[in-house]
Amino acid sequence: VQLQASGGGLVQAGGSLRLSCVASGRTFSHNVMGWFRQAPGKEREFVAAIRWDGISEYYGNSVKGRFTISRDNFKNTVYLQMNNLKPEDTAVYYCAAQEKTYGTISAPFDEYAYWGQGTLVTVSS
């Protein structure tokens, strides 16, 4: 099982990026998927999660109103649209999937059993 994240890069403050995470090896169409991030010297931070059917979403306070998570179960892919980026959004972004089917979108990171390798987002001021 592999989660492959992509779409990171360097962007100026106020700009946008769209991250993608493609899952291979199994389907996660019955599992919550999410995005987390970790900045240098800081702890891992929850960003967003989405229910298995895409109906419900949950966001961290620092990104609410600027980021949007979505998924395409036919493509086994989850996305993170990031708008109005700020320098404090600079981090490595990780996609993750829960092992438990029909889990909770507000679950902590230790409920996520599968993790991607991360993609670096750098926002310049």
PDB file of all heavy atoms in Angstrom, residues 20-55:
ATOM      1  N   SER A  20      -2.088  16.747  -4.365  1.00  0.00           N
ATOM      2  CA  SER A  20      -2.790  15.509  -4.700  1.00  0.00           C
ATOM      3  C   SER A  20      -2.138  14.354  -3.959  1.00  0.00           C
ATOM      4  O   SER A  20      -0.932  14.382  -3.686  1.00  0.00           O
ATOM      5  CB  SER A  20      -2.727  15.237  -6.210  1.00  0.00           C
ATOM      6  OG  SER A  20      -3.334  16.264  -6.943  1.00  0.00           O
ATOM      7  N   CYS A  21      -2.919  13.355  -3.664  1.00  0.00           N
ATOM      8  CA  CYS A  21      -2.401  12.152  -3.013  1.00  0.00           C
ATOM      9  C   CYS A  21      -3.099  10.947  -3.626  1.00  0.00           C
ATOM     10  O   CYS A  21      -4.315  10.794  -3.482  1.00  0.00           O
ATOM     11  CB  CYS A  21      -2.638  12.208  -1.520  1.00  0.00           C
ATOM     12  SG  CYS A  21      -2.158  10.709  -0.642  1.00  0.00           S
ATOM     13  N   VAL A  22      -2.322  10.142  -4.347  1.00  0.00           N
ATOM     14  CA  VAL A  22      -2.865   8.964  -5.011  1.00  0.00           C
ATOM     15  C   VAL A  22      -2.533   7.721  -4.191  1.00  0.00           C
ATOM     16  O   VAL A  22      -1.370   7.494  -3.840  1.00  0.00           O
ATOM     17  CB  VAL A  22      -2.300   8.822  -6.431  1.00  0.00           C
ATOM     18  CG1 VAL A  22      -2.892   7.605  -7.112  1.00  0.00           C
ATOM     19  CG2 VAL A  22      -2.576  10.077  -7.234  1.00  0.00           C
ATOM     20  N   ALA A  23      -3.541   6.927  -3.916  1.00  0.00           N
ATOM     21  CA  ALA A  23      -3.342   5.684  -3.172  1.00  0.00           C
ATOM     22  C   ALA A  23      -3.255   4.518  -4.145  1.00  0.00           C
ATOM     23  O   ALA A  23      -3.991   4.457  -5.128  1.00  0.00           O
ATOM     24  CB  ALA A  23      -4.489   5.467  -2.199  1.00  0.00           C
ATOM     25  N   SER A  24      -2.366   3.617  -3.853  1.00  0.00           N
ATOM     26  CA  SER A  24      -2.234   2.411  -4.671  1.00  0.00           C
ATOM     27  C   SER A  24      -2.080   1.208  -3.756  1.00  0.00           C
ATOM     28  O   SER A  24      -1.641   1.321  -2.619  1.00  0.00           O
ATOM     29  CB  SER A  24      -1.034   2.527  -5.611  1.00  0.00           C
ATOM     30  OG  SER A  24       0.159   2.715  -4.885  1.00  0.00           O
ATOM     31  N   GLY A  25      -2.465   0.065  -4.252  1.00  0.00           N
ATOM     32  CA  GLY A  25      -2.343  -1.158  -3.474  1.00  0.00           C
ATOM     33  C   GLY A  25      -3.631  -1.578  -2.781  1.00  0.00           C
ATOM     34  O   GLY A  25      -3.787  -2.736  -2.410  1.00  0.00           O
ATOM     35  N   ARG A  26      -4.513  -0.644  -2.569  1.00  0.00           N
ATOM     36  CA  ARG A  26      -5.831  -0.948  -2.011  1.00  0.00           C
ATOM     37  C   ARG A  26      -6.707   0.290  -2.194  1.00  0.00           C
ATOM     38  O   ARG A  26      -6.200   1.389  -2.465  1.00  0.00           O
ATOM     39  CB  ARG A  26      -5.763  -1.334  -0.529  1.00  0.00           C
ATOM     40  CG  ARG A  26      -5.195  -0.274   0.382  1.00  0.00           C
ATOM     41  CD  ARG A  26      -5.546  -0.497   1.835  1.00  0.00           C
ATOM     42  NE  ARG A  26      -6.933  -0.150   2.125  1.00  0.00           N
ATOM     43  CZ  ARG A  26      -7.477  -0.240   3.335  1.00  0.00           C
ATOM     44  NH1 ARG A  26      -6.773  -0.717   4.342  1.00  0.00           N
ATOM     45  NH2 ARG A  26      -8.731   0.120   3.539  1.00  0.00           N
ATOM     46  N   THR A  27      -7.972   0.110  -2.016  1.00  0.00           N
ATOM     47  CA  THR A  27      -8.887   1.234  -2.097  1.00  0.00           C
ATOM     48  C   THR A  27      -9.166   1.784  -0.698  1.00  0.00           C
ATOM     49  O   THR A  27      -9.159   1.029   0.278  1.00  0.00           O
ATOM     50  CB  THR A  27     -10.218   0.823  -2.764  1.00  0.00           C
ATOM     51  OG1 THR A  27     -11.099   1.953  -2.757  1.00  0.00           O
ATOM     52  CG2 THR A  27     -10.880  -0.305  -1.990  1.00  0.00           C
ATOM     53  N   PHE A  28      -9.386   3.084  -0.616  1.00  0.00           N
ATOM     54  CA  PHE A  28      -9.744   3.725   0.649  1.00  0.00           C
ATOM     55  C   PHE A  28     -11.114   4.374   0.558  1.00  0.00           C
ATOM     56  O   PHE A  28     -11.406   5.331   1.266  1.00  0.00           O
ATOM     57  CB  PHE A  28      -8.689   4.773   1.026  1.00  0.00           C
ATOM     58  CG  PHE A  28      -7.377   4.181   1.440  1.00  0.00           C
ATOM     59  CD1 PHE A  28      -6.299   4.165   0.570  1.00  0.00           C
ATOM     60  CD2 PHE A  28      -7.218   3.614   2.690  1.00  0.00           C
ATOM     61  CE1 PHE A  28      -5.091   3.611   0.942  1.00  0.00           C
ATOM     62  CE2 PHE A  28      -6.013   3.060   3.077  1.00  0.00           C
ATOM     63  CZ  PHE A  28      -4.943   3.053   2.198  1.00  0.00           C
ATOM     64  N   SER A  29     -11.957   3.851  -0.316  1.00  0.00           N
ATOM     65  CA  SER A  29     -13.262   4.456  -0.543  1.00  0.00           C
ATOM     66  C   SER A  29     -14.203   4.308   0.649  1.00  0.00           C
ATOM     67  O   SER A  29     -15.277   4.902   0.654  1.00  0.00           O
ATOM     68  CB  SER A  29     -13.904   3.858  -1.796  1.00  0.00           C
ATOM     69  OG  SER A  29     -14.032   2.455  -1.661  1.00  0.00           O
ATOM     70  N   HIS A  30     -13.813   3.536   1.649  1.00  0.00           N
ATOM     71  CA  HIS A  30     -14.620   3.400   2.868  1.00  0.00           C
ATOM     72  C   HIS A  30     -13.875   3.937   4.092  1.00  0.00           C
ATOM     73  O   HIS A  30     -14.254   3.646   5.230  1.00  0.00           O
ATOM     74  CB  HIS A  30     -14.965   1.929   3.093  1.00  0.00           C
ATOM     75  CG  HIS A  30     -15.694   1.315   1.948  1.00  0.00           C
ATOM     76  ND1 HIS A  30     -17.019   1.590   1.663  1.00  0.00           N
ATOM     77  CD2 HIS A  30     -15.274   0.458   0.991  1.00  0.00           C
ATOM     78  CE1 HIS A  30     -17.371   0.915   0.587  1.00  0.00           C
ATOM     79  NE2 HIS A  30     -16.343   0.220   0.156  1.00  0.00           N
ATOM     80  N   ASN A  31     -12.844   4.742   3.839  1.00  0.00           N
ATOM     81  CA  ASN A  31     -11.986   5.220   4.926  1.00  0.00           C
ATOM     82  C   ASN A  31     -11.829   6.732   4.887  1.00  0.00           C
ATOM     83  O   ASN A  31     -11.756   7.325   3.818  1.00  0.00           O
ATOM     84  CB  ASN A  31     -10.597   4.589   4.827  1.00  0.00           C
ATOM     85  CG  ASN A  31     -10.628   3.081   4.781  1.00  0.00           C
ATOM     86  OD1 ASN A  31     -10.900   2.501   3.713  1.00  0.00           O
ATOM     87  ND2 ASN A  31     -10.381   2.445   5.894  1.00  0.00           N
ATOM     88  N   VAL A  32     -11.749   7.302   6.079  1.00  0.00           N
ATOM     89  CA  VAL A  32     -11.427   8.722   6.188  1.00  0.00           C
ATOM     90  C   VAL A  32      -9.985   8.938   5.715  1.00  0.00           C
ATOM     91  O   VAL A  32      -9.090   8.149   6.038  1.00  0.00           O
ATOM     92  CB  VAL A  32     -11.578   9.208   7.639  1.00  0.00           C
ATOM     93  CG1 VAL A  32     -11.019  10.615   7.811  1.00  0.00           C
ATOM     94  CG2 VAL A  32     -13.044   9.153   8.072  1.00  0.00           C
ATOM     95  N   MET A  33      -9.792   9.998   4.953  1.00  0.00           N
ATOM     96  CA  MET A  33      -8.448  10.390   4.549  1.00  0.00           C
ATOM     97  C   MET A  33      -8.198  11.824   5.000  1.00  0.00           C
ATOM     98  O   MET A  33      -9.143  12.607   5.168  1.00  0.00           O
ATOM     99  CB  MET A  33      -8.269  10.252   3.044  1.00  0.00           C
ATOM    100  CG  MET A  33      -8.409   8.819   2.561  1.00  0.00           C
ATOM    101  SD  MET A  33      -7.940   8.594   0.839  1.00  0.00           S
ATOM    102  CE  MET A  33      -6.154   8.732   0.943  1.00  0.00           C
ATOM    103  N   GLY A  34      -6.936  12.142   5.202  1.00  0.00           N
ATOM    104  CA  GLY A  34      -6.638  13.464   5.720  1.00  0.00           C
ATOM    105  C   GLY A  34      -5.291  13.981   5.280  1.00  0.00           C
ATOM    106  O   GLY A  34      -4.508  13.275   4.632  1.00  0.00           O
ATOM    107  N   TRP A  35      -5.046  15.232   5.636  1.00  0.00           N
ATOM    108  CA  TRP A  35      -3.766  15.879   5.403  1.00  0.00           C
ATOM    109  C   TRP A  35      -3.248  16.412   6.732  1.00  0.00           C
ATOM    110  O   TRP A  35      -4.010  16.964   7.535  1.00  0.00           O
ATOM    111  CB  TRP A  35      -3.909  17.047   4.426  1.00  0.00           C
ATOM    112  CG  TRP A  35      -4.167  16.650   3.011  1.00  0.00           C
ATOM    113  CD1 TRP A  35      -5.381  16.504   2.400  1.00  0.00           C
ATOM    114  CD2 TRP A  35      -3.185  16.344   2.008  1.00  0.00           C
ATOM    115  NE1 TRP A  35      -5.222  16.134   1.095  1.00  0.00           N
ATOM    116  CE2 TRP A  35      -3.870  16.029   0.834  1.00  0.00           C
ATOM    117  CE3 TRP A  35      -1.784  16.316   2.002  1.00  0.00           C
ATOM    118  CZ2 TRP A  35      -3.214  15.686  -0.356  1.00  0.00           C
ATOM    119  CZ3 TRP A  35      -1.136  15.981   0.833  1.00  0.00           C
ATOM    120  CH2 TRP A  35      -1.842  15.668  -0.332  1.00  0.00           C
ATOM    121  N   PHE A  36      -1.967  16.252   6.926  1.00  0.00           N
ATOM    122  CA  PHE A  36      -1.264  16.789   8.082  1.00  0.00           C
ATOM    123  C   PHE A  36      -0.050  17.546   7.565  1.00  0.00           C
ATOM    124  O   PHE A  36       0.335  17.393   6.406  1.00  0.00           O
ATOM    125  CB  PHE A  36      -0.812  15.660   9.018  1.00  0.00           C
ATOM    126  CG  PHE A  36      -1.957  14.913   9.667  1.00  0.00           C
ATOM    127  CD1 PHE A  36      -2.668  13.959   8.958  1.00  0.00           C
ATOM    128  CD2 PHE A  36      -2.303  15.164  10.977  1.00  0.00           C
ATOM    129  CE1 PHE A  36      -3.725  13.270   9.545  1.00  0.00           C
ATOM    130  CE2 PHE A  36      -3.345  14.476  11.578  1.00  0.00           C
ATOM    131  CZ  PHE A  36      -4.054  13.534  10.857  1.00  0.00           C
ATOM    132  N   ARG A  37       0.549  18.346   8.415  1.00  0.00           N
ATOM    133  CA  ARG A  37       1.759  19.052   8.007  1.00  0.00           C
ATOM    134  C   ARG A  37       2.713  19.157   9.192  1.00  0.00           C
ATOM    135  O   ARG A  37       2.304  19.098  10.355  1.00  0.00           O
ATOM    136  CB  ARG A  37       1.440  20.439   7.448  1.00  0.00           C
ATOM    137  CG  ARG A  37       0.884  21.432   8.473  1.00  0.00           C
ATOM    138  CD  ARG A  37       0.458  22.716   7.786  1.00  0.00           C
ATOM    139  NE  ARG A  37      -0.018  23.717   8.739  1.00  0.00           N
ATOM    140  CZ  ARG A  37      -0.547  24.887   8.385  1.00  0.00           C
ATOM    141  NH1 ARG A  37      -0.673  25.205   7.090  1.00  0.00           N
ATOM    142  NH2 ARG A  37      -0.950  25.740   9.303  1.00  0.00           N
ATOM    143  N   GLN A  38       3.977  19.319   8.849  1.00  0.00           N
ATOM    144  CA  GLN A  38       4.990  19.481   9.882  1.00  0.00           C
ATOM    145  C   GLN A  38       6.015  20.490   9.408  1.00  0.00           C
ATOM    146  O   GLN A  38       6.686  20.284   8.383  1.00  0.00           O
ATOM    147  CB  GLN A  38       5.662  18.156  10.231  1.00  0.00           C
ATOM    148  CG  GLN A  38       6.571  18.243  11.443  1.00  0.00           C
ATOM    149  CD  GLN A  38       6.926  16.879  11.994  1.00  0.00           C
ATOM    150  OE1 GLN A  38       6.822  15.851  11.316  1.00  0.00           O
ATOM    151  NE2 GLN A  38       7.365  16.848  13.252  1.00  0.00           N
ATOM    152  N   ALA A  39       6.111  21.567  10.149  1.00  0.00           N
ATOM    153  CA  ALA A  39       7.105  22.598   9.860  1.00  0.00           C
ATOM    154  C   ALA A  39       8.385  22.275  10.628  1.00  0.00           C
ATOM    155  O   ALA A  39       8.351  21.571  11.646  1.00  0.00           O
ATOM    156  CB  ALA A  39       6.569  23.957  10.271  1.00  0.00           C
ATOM    157  N   PRO A  40       9.518  22.787  10.171  1.00  0.00           N
ATOM    158  CA  PRO A  40      10.788  22.517  10.853  1.00  0.00           C
ATOM    159  C   PRO A  40      10.745  22.924  12.321  1.00  0.00           C
ATOM    160  O   PRO A  40      10.334  24.038  12.656  1.00  0.00           O
ATOM    161  CB  PRO A  40      11.786  23.382  10.081  1.00  0.00           C
ATOM    162  CG  PRO A  40      11.187  23.538   8.741  1.00  0.00           C
ATOM    163  CD  PRO A  40       9.712  23.593   8.951  1.00  0.00           C
ATOM    164  N   GLY A  41      11.121  22.007  13.183  1.00  0.00           N
ATOM    165  CA  GLY A  41      11.165  22.291  14.600  1.00  0.00           C
ATOM    166  C   GLY A  41       9.825  22.301  15.297  1.00  0.00           C
ATOM    167  O   GLY A  41       9.740  22.628  16.490  1.00  0.00           O
ATOM    168  N   LYS A  42       8.777  21.932  14.562  1.00  0.00           N
ATOM    169  CA  LYS A  42       7.433  21.942  15.160  1.00  0.00           C
ATOM    170  C   LYS A  42       6.817  20.552  15.115  1.00  0.00           C
ATOM    171  O   LYS A  42       7.253  19.683  14.359  1.00  0.00           O
ATOM    172  CB  LYS A  42       6.532  22.941  14.434  1.00  0.00           C
ATOM    173  CG  LYS A  42       6.971  24.382  14.591  1.00  0.00           C
ATOM    174  CD  LYS A  42       5.945  25.333  14.021  1.00  0.00           C
ATOM    175  CE  LYS A  42       6.342  26.778  14.246  1.00  0.00           C
ATOM    176  NZ  LYS A  42       5.318  27.730  13.719  1.00  0.00           N
ATOM    177  N   GLU A  43       5.779  20.374  15.905  1.00  0.00           N
ATOM    178  CA  GLU A  43       5.081  19.099  15.926  1.00  0.00           C
ATOM    179  C   GLU A  43       4.158  18.978  14.707  1.00  0.00           C
ATOM    180  O   GLU A  43       3.784  19.973  14.091  1.00  0.00           O
ATOM    181  CB  GLU A  43       4.267  18.968  17.207  1.00  0.00           C
ATOM    182  CG  GLU A  43       5.113  18.881  18.458  1.00  0.00           C
ATOM    183  CD  GLU A  43       4.284  18.593  19.690  1.00  0.00           C
ATOM    184  OE1 GLU A  43       3.045  18.644  19.603  1.00  0.00           O
ATOM    185  OE2 GLU A  43       4.877  18.316  20.745  1.00  0.00           O
ATOM    186  N   ARG A  44       3.816  17.739  14.386  1.00  0.00           N
ATOM    187  CA  ARG A  44       2.876  17.491  13.306  1.00  0.00           C
ATOM    188  C   ARG A  44       1.527  18.121  13.646  1.00  0.00           C
ATOM    189  O   ARG A  44       1.060  18.037  14.773  1.00  0.00           O
ATOM    190  CB  ARG A  44       2.732  15.984  13.106  1.00  0.00           C
ATOM    191  CG  ARG A  44       1.825  15.568  11.995  1.00  0.00           C
ATOM    192  CD  ARG A  44       1.971  14.093  11.698  1.00  0.00           C
ATOM    193  NE  ARG A  44       2.412  13.327  12.847  1.00  0.00           N
ATOM    194  CZ  ARG A  44       2.739  12.042  12.790  1.00  0.00           C
ATOM    195  NH1 ARG A  44       2.680  11.395  11.642  1.00  0.00           N
ATOM    196  NH2 ARG A  44       3.117  11.417  13.878  1.00  0.00           N
ATOM    197  N   GLU A  45       0.930  18.726  12.644  1.00  0.00           N
ATOM    198  CA  GLU A  45      -0.310  19.474  12.838  1.00  0.00           C
ATOM    199  C   GLU A  45      -1.386  18.939  11.895  1.00  0.00           C
ATOM    200  O   GLU A  45      -1.133  18.710  10.709  1.00  0.00           O
ATOM    201  CB  GLU A  45      -0.073  20.965  12.552  1.00  0.00           C
ATOM    202  CG  GLU A  45      -1.304  21.835  12.632  1.00  0.00           C
ATOM    203  CD  GLU A  45      -1.054  23.259  12.168  1.00  0.00           C
ATOM    204  OE1 GLU A  45       0.005  23.517  11.558  1.00  0.00           O
ATOM    205  OE2 GLU A  45      -1.914  24.127  12.392  1.00  0.00           O
ATOM    206  N   PHE A  46      -2.572  18.772  12.421  1.00  0.00           N
ATOM    207  CA  PHE A  46      -3.700  18.368  11.593  1.00  0.00           C
ATOM    208  C   PHE A  46      -4.099  19.518  10.671  1.00  0.00           C
ATOM    209  O   PHE A  46      -4.188  20.671  11.097  1.00  0.00           O
ATOM    210  CB  PHE A  46      -4.879  17.974  12.483  1.00  0.00           C
ATOM    211  CG  PHE A  46      -6.167  17.794  11.728  1.00  0.00           C
ATOM    212  CD1 PHE A  46      -6.386  16.645  10.994  1.00  0.00           C
ATOM    213  CD2 PHE A  46      -7.130  18.781  11.747  1.00  0.00           C
ATOM    214  CE1 PHE A  46      -7.565  16.481  10.292  1.00  0.00           C
ATOM    215  CE2 PHE A  46      -8.324  18.625  11.058  1.00  0.00           C
ATOM    216  CZ  PHE A  46      -8.534  17.483  10.325  1.00  0.00           C
ATOM    217  N   VAL A  47      -4.379  19.191   9.410  1.00  0.00           N
ATOM    218  CA  VAL A  47      -4.803  20.198   8.440  1.00  0.00           C
ATOM    219  C   VAL A  47      -6.271  20.008   8.060  1.00  0.00           C
ATOM    220  O   VAL A  47      -7.085  20.914   8.200  1.00  0.00           O
ATOM    221  CB  VAL A  47      -3.922  20.159   7.176  1.00  0.00           C
ATOM    222  CG1 VAL A  47      -4.437  21.142   6.126  1.00  0.00           C
ATOM    223  CG2 VAL A  47      -2.474  20.465   7.524  1.00  0.00           C
ATOM    224  N   ALA A  48      -6.598  18.820   7.549  1.00  0.00           N
ATOM    225  CA  ALA A  48      -7.967  18.588   7.080  1.00  0.00           C
ATOM    226  C   ALA A  48      -8.224  17.095   6.949  1.00  0.00           C
ATOM    227  O   ALA A  48      -7.290  16.310   6.770  1.00  0.00           O
ATOM    228  CB  ALA A  48      -8.194  19.269   5.732  1.00  0.00           C
ATOM    229  N   ALA A  49      -9.494  16.722   7.035  1.00  0.00           N
ATOM    230  CA  ALA A  49      -9.898  15.331   6.835  1.00  0.00           C
ATOM    231  C   ALA A  49     -11.231  15.306   6.109  1.00  0.00           C
ATOM    232  O   ALA A  49     -12.003  16.274   6.180  1.00  0.00           O
ATOM    233  CB  ALA A  49     -10.004  14.600   8.168  1.00  0.00           C
ATOM    234  N   ILE A  50     -11.473  14.215   5.419  1.00  0.00           N
ATOM    235  CA  ILE A  50     -12.699  14.092   4.644  1.00  0.00           C
ATOM    236  C   ILE A  50     -13.281  12.697   4.819  1.00  0.00           C
ATOM    237  O   ILE A  50     -12.552  11.708   4.864  1.00  0.00           O
ATOM    238  CB  ILE A  50     -12.443  14.413   3.157  1.00  0.00           C
ATOM    239  CG1 ILE A  50     -13.755  14.452   2.375  1.00  0.00           C
ATOM    240  CG2 ILE A  50     -11.447  13.425   2.537  1.00  0.00           C
ATOM    241  CD1 ILE A  50     -13.608  15.073   0.984  1.00  0.00           C
ATOM    242  N   ARG A  51     -14.575  12.632   4.951  1.00  0.00           N
ATOM    243  CA  ARG A  51     -15.258  11.364   5.115  1.00  0.00           C
ATOM    244  C   ARG A  51     -15.135  10.504   3.870  1.00  0.00           C
ATOM    245  O   ARG A  51     -14.866  11.022   2.785  1.00  0.00           O
ATOM    246  CB  ARG A  51     -16.741  11.615   5.437  1.00  0.00           C
ATOM    247  CG  ARG A  51     -17.377  10.595   6.331  1.00  0.00           C
ATOM    248  CD  ARG A  51     -18.754  10.999   6.755  1.00  0.00           C
ATOM    249  NE  ARG A  51     -19.764  10.621   5.764  1.00  0.00           N
ATOM    250  CZ  ARG A  51     -21.043  10.419   6.065  1.00  0.00           C
ATOM    251  NH1 ARG A  51     -21.449  10.570   7.319  1.00  0.00           N
ATOM    252  NH2 ARG A  51     -21.902  10.100   5.130  1.00  0.00           N
ATOM    253  N   TRP A  52     -15.330   9.234   4.004  1.00  0.00           N
ATOM    254  CA  TRP A  52     -15.129   8.282   2.917  1.00  0.00           C
ATOM    255  C   TRP A  52     -15.978   8.608   1.696  1.00  0.00           C
ATOM    256  O   TRP A  52     -15.553   8.356   0.568  1.00  0.00           O
ATOM    257  CB  TRP A  52     -15.446   6.862   3.407  1.00  0.00           C
ATOM    258  CG  TRP A  52     -16.817   6.749   3.998  1.00  0.00           C
ATOM    259  CD1 TRP A  52     -17.978   6.407   3.374  1.00  0.00           C
ATOM    260  CD2 TRP A  52     -17.171   7.017   5.364  1.00  0.00           C
ATOM    261  NE1 TRP A  52     -19.026   6.461   4.260  1.00  0.00           N
ATOM    262  CE2 TRP A  52     -18.554   6.828   5.489  1.00  0.00           C
ATOM    263  CE3 TRP A  52     -16.447   7.406   6.501  1.00  0.00           C
ATOM    264  CZ2 TRP A  52     -19.234   6.999   6.683  1.00  0.00           C
ATOM    265  CZ3 TRP A  52     -17.118   7.577   7.697  1.00  0.00           C
ATOM    266  CH2 TRP A  52     -18.501   7.371   7.771  1.00  0.00           C
ATOM    267  N   ASP A  53     -17.163   9.188   1.885  1.00  0.00           N
ATOM    268  CA  ASP A  53     -18.036   9.504   0.761  1.00  0.00           C
ATOM    269  C   ASP A  53     -17.935  10.964   0.335  1.00  0.00           C
ATOM    270  O   ASP A  53     -18.671  11.402  -0.549  1.00  0.00           O
ATOM    271  CB  ASP A  53     -19.488   9.165   1.095  1.00  0.00           C
ATOM    272  CG  ASP A  53     -19.958   9.816   2.380  1.00  0.00           C
ATOM    273  OD1 ASP A  53     -19.192  10.613   2.953  1.00  0.00           O
ATOM    274  OD2 ASP A  53     -21.070   9.524   2.818  1.00  0.00           O
ATOM    275  N   GLY A  54     -17.045  11.712   0.970  1.00  0.00           N
ATOM    276  CA  GLY A  54     -16.849  13.101   0.595  1.00  0.00           C
ATOM    277  C   GLY A  54     -17.890  14.069   1.117  1.00  0.00           C
ATOM    278  O   GLY A  54     -17.823  15.256   0.814  1.00  0.00           O
ATOM    279  N   ILE A  55     -18.823  13.603   1.907  1.00  0.00           N
ATOM    280  CA  ILE A  55     -19.928  14.452   2.355  1.00  0.00           C
ATOM    281  C   ILE A  55     -19.499  15.416   3.448  1.00  0.00           C
ATOM    282  O   ILE A  55     -19.937  16.573   3.482  1.00  0.00           O
ATOM    283  CB  ILE A  55     -21.106  13.572   2.827  1.00  0.00           C
ATOM    284  CG1 ILE A  55     -21.770  12.898   1.643  1.00  0.00           C
ATOM    285  CG2 ILE A  55     -22.120  14.409   3.599  1.00  0.00           C
ATOM    286  CD1 ILE A  55     -22.940  12.010   2.006  1.00  0.00           C
TER     287      ILE A  55
END
